[in-house]
């Protein structure tokens, strides 16, 4: 039976009782309402495993079909099937403790694009590829925090597969580090690495040129040895489980621009984790992509907002780096990253945040008829009418005539709309 380390438990504001902590393996899940997250990630696990299963089945069907393949094509399909089958088994094993909650929760505050495999390349970068990126990250951070960085308790938010968190813990002999992420796959891999295990996982290349680079098996393992005082925690950055002012330093690697809320709300939460004099250390790009342009901040605006939230920037660095670079990796990127070390000079109030509107989490509330919903209504009504009108006889031209009369629009506009909707469907059926 897993149990929570007393030093870690003493930092928590929830859950109140040790017996209420839910675990996957040895990994504690520290959410205000853990059931929401259990069901969310359980559904994502099924999606992910299903992807490998159906990919393997589709390849198998192609192999057994009457199509004539060259020897090379057959080899490629066979190696792909082998990789999907192997990953299915490895991941089923790794994720077996992810079970859905009994109740059906609607209040999940995880954006639905967050899948278990969204950051799978980071797993390979952290623990499989031969790359200098992990070392480079520590060196860049050292330039900003200094070689004599001696915090006694560090919290790493959005730690992912957690290589950087572990490297910093070891390099700077940090007595206690708590690495936080809400993606259980990344943390379960990190947990295995901490325990000295080896995981075999296949990496798929999206644009292979050679047969040998279609997919490759990596042995994921850590050379860091056991790390006394290092803790992995499954928790949400938007609602952290720690009491106030428990850490001397909070590190945010590649996190600030991908959160579902604006930067100020993050700054307030980081502030609440630190005491006066505590440090906020950041590393990553400023790739904000909020619908409200005012929230897509540049460096100067970021420092302005940090000041408002009780921080003073002490040192900073802007540099260009290669990201997710490995042999055969076509998705590697050039990124301009902003590193800073900021000191907390005053407390800030933490504004509450909820990801979804109340009428979605409380399903008894009326749904407001907003302009966005009205626009969507028009679109789906058109699409529904169109698909219901297809009877195997009518052409796109004939459908457009009917729609032009029904929706009182010019026939040319109706034809463009009909063709676009049908094209989208046909195109989506061709993609993987
Ligand atoms: C771009 S990745 C960076 C991961 C890691 N820091 C690295 O550099 O490889 C962002 C990470 O933040 C995590 N994350 C995003 N939103 C989060 C949230 N609300 N709470 C906890 N973790 C979150 C993701 O699961 C992911 O691991």
């Amino acid at each position: 039976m897993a149990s929570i380390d007393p030093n870690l438990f003493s930092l928590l504001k929830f859950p109140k009782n040790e017996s209420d902590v839910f675990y996957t393996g040895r990994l504690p899940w520290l959410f205000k309402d853990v059931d929401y997250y259990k069901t969310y990630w359980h559904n994502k696990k099924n999606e992910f495993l299903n992807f490998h299963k159906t990919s393997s089945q589709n390849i198998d069907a192609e192999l057994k079909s009457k199509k004539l393949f060259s020897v090379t094509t057959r080899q490629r399909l066979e190696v792909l099937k082998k990789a999907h089958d192997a990953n299915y088994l490895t991941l089923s094993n790794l994720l077996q403790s992810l079970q859905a909650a009994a109740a059906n929760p609607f209040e999940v505050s995880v954006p639905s694009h967050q899948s278990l495999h969204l950051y799978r390349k980071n797993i390979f970068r952290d623990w499989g590829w031969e790359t200098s990126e992990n070392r480079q990250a520590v060196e860049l951070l050292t330039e900003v925090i200094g070689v004599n960085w001696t915090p006694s308790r560090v919290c790493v938010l959005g730690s992912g597969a957690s290589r950087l968190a572990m490297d910093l813990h070891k390099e700077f002999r940090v007595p206690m580090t708590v690495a936080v992420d809400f993606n259980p796959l990344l943390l379960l891999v990190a947990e295995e690495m901490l325990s000295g295990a080896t995981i075999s996982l296949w990496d798929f290349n999206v644009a292979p040129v050679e047969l040998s680079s279609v997919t490759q098996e990596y042995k994921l393992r850590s050379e860091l040895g056991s790390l006394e005082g290092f803790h992995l925690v499954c928790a949400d950055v938007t609602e952290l489980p720690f009491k106030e002012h428990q850490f001397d330093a909070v590190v945010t690697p590649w996190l600030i621009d991908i959160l579902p809320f604006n930067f100020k709300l993050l700054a307030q939460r980081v502030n609440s984790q630190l005491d006066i004099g505590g440090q906020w250390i950041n590393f990553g790009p400023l790739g904000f992509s909020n619908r409200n342009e005012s929230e897509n901040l540049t460096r100067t605006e970021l420092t302005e907002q940090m000041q408002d939230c009780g921080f003073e920037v002490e040192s900073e660095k802007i540099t260009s780096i290669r990201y997710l670079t490995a042999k055969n990796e076509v998705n590697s990127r050039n990124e301009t990253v902003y590193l800073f070390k900021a000191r907390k000079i005053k407390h800030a109030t933490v504004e509450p945040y909820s990801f979804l509107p109340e009428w979605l989490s409380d399903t008894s509330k009326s749904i407001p008829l907003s302009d966005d919903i009205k626009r969507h209504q028009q679109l789906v009504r058109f699409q529904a009418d169109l698909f219901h009108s297809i009877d195997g006889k009518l052409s796109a031209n004939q459908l457009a005539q009917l729609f032009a009369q029904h929706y009182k629009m010019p026939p040319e506009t109706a034809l463009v709309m009909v063709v676009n909707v049908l094209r989208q469907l046909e195109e989506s059926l061709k993609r993987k």
Side-chain angles (χ1 to χ4, degrees), residues 119 122 125 158 160 181-183 186 235-237 253-255 258-259:
Y119 297 109
N122 299 45
R125 190 269 323 267
D181 205 285
F182 66 7
N183 181 319
L186 303 177
D236 196 325
V237 170
W254 295 75
L255 179 77
I258 56 112
L259 289 170

Side-chain angles (χ1 to χ4, degrees), residues 51 80 205-206 428-432:
F51 160 73
L80 274 171
N205 189 337
V206 290
S428 74
L429 294 176
K430 288 186 200 299
R431 284 192 298 269
K432 253 205 229 180

